[in-house]
Amino acid sequence: MDTIADNLQGVKSRIRGACERAGREPRDIVLVAVSKTFPADDLRAARAAGQRVFGESYVQEAIGKIAALADLDLEWHFIGPVQSNKTREIAAHFDWVQSIERLKIAERLSAQRPAGRRPLDVLLQVNISGEATKSGVAPADLVPLARAVARLPNLRLRGLMAIPEPTEDMALAQARFESVRRLKESLCAEGLALDTLSMGMTGDLEAAIAAGATMVRVGTAIFGERRKH
Ligand SMILES: *Cc1c(COP(=O)(O)O)cnc(C)c1O
């Protein structure tokens, strides 16, 4: 239990250090604690240490935790691949979806957002490494997708999310993150009001913050190594 609190302090101090070097303010960075594969009690420990925002990748697993932790005031982000047959549950249980890469999925989430709930905050996941295996919309297809998603009534398009290919080369990581920031700036220049850049994980959050991330998604450095799902 103490380790989660200590780990959270460690991640926050990394965020502070990166902000200092970049001339940015730590309060401008949202920390999403990525809790996939970890039990509800670990999230409870993180909440007791001050963490309120959690990211999950597997719908059924997440819904169990959301129910188990309903007594806490938490914000839930869906960060995994969205399958069409899961959109109804995602729209009902989550506050954010960071991994939109197709209009059809966005349309379903908008249509299935329960009446009376505020619009679902969404990010478009962009593929900046260009690998065939990585998910995300290609930069060339981003503008039409963003325009269409921004028009959906029960979604609020907030920005972009990206997961570059893993690398030890932090200069390369930062260059990739900067290309995501430029994509967001080009969408803003098209008149879209975007305020969120979700990029940076345990291995590369400093490079992401240097490049302008406003949200980092950190799992391993908070909860420890994951076993395979
Ligand atoms: C698992 C996951 C993370 C967290 O990765 P760590 O390296 O454990 O910090 C962040 N983003 C997404 C989309 C993930 O699936």
Side-chain angles (χ1 to χ4, degrees):
M1 290 291 179
D2 277 335
T3 45
I4 289 175
D6 291 345
N7 290 347
L8 262 172
Q9 286 317 310
V11 169
K12 286 184 191 161
S13 99
R14 283 177 64 187
I15 292 172
R16 275 197 305 276
C19 283
E20 220 161 87
R21 289 190 293 279
R24 303 187 58 199
E25 292 295 331
R27 66 166 174 273
D28 295 335
I29 315 287
V30 175
L31 171 60
V32 178
V34 177
S35 44
K36 63 187 181 209
T37 79
F38 291 96
D41 281 347
D42 286 1
L43 284 75
R44 208 172 268 288
R47 180 68 191 98
Q51 180 64 28
R52 204 178 74 81
V53 181
F54 293 89
E56 290 278 340
S57 305
Y58 309 103
V59 179
Q60 291 328 313
E61 180 199 325
I63 286 174
K65 285 184 241 183
I66 292 169
L69 300 170
D71 58 311
L72 302 177
D73 171 35
L74 304 180
E75 182 176 290
W76 294 97
H77 291 227
F78 191 77
I79 62 172
V82 183
Q83 291 156 358
S84 329
N85 63 356
K86 294 285 165 57
T87 52
R88 186 174 296 282
E89 286 172 298
I90 292 171
H93 294 284
F94 283 83
D95 302 297
W96 285 65
V97 178
Q98 299 203 6
S99 39
I100 304 243
E101 49 185 351
R102 289 190 289 141
L103 182 57
K104 183 185 159 218
I105 293 290
E107 287 171 341
R108 290 176 66 94
L109 289 168
S110 181
Q112 293 169 342
R113 183 68 167 167
R117 290 204 62 183
R118 59 168 193 76
L120 188 60
D121 287 302
V122 301
L123 303 178
L124 303 181
Q125 182 174 349
V126 279
N127 180 347
I128 40 161
S129 299
E131 299 163 277
T133 54
K134 273 279 157 58
S135 39
V137 58
D141 301 330
L142 185 59
V143 171
L145 178 62
R147 284 188 186 290
V149 170
R151 280 195 293 267
L152 295 171
N154 299 322
L155 303 188
R156 199 149 66 109
L157 179 60
R158 299 290 297 271
L160 303 179
M161 186 271 260
I163 316 172
E165 64 195 303
T167 172
E168 302 282 300
D169 178 350
M170 285 303 120
L172 176 63
Q174 189 172 328
R176 298 238 193 260
F177 289 134
E178 277 164 0
S179 74
V180 184
R181 191 196 66 223
R182 284 193 297 272
L183 287 171
K184 172 180 167 276
E185 287 166 355
S186 67
L187 293 174
C188 289
E190 301 261 339
L192 295 165
L194 307 181
D195 61 7
T196 302
L197 265 182
S198 173
M199 51 192 199
M201 317 197 292
T202 292
D204 55 14
L205 69 88
E206 285 86 357
I209 288 171
T214 66
M215 190 177 270
V216 292
R217 308 174 313 272
V218 179
T220 309
I222 297 172
F223 296 106
E225 294 289 337
R226 286 181 293 276
R227 291 192 284 159
K228 285 262 182 286
H229 196 260

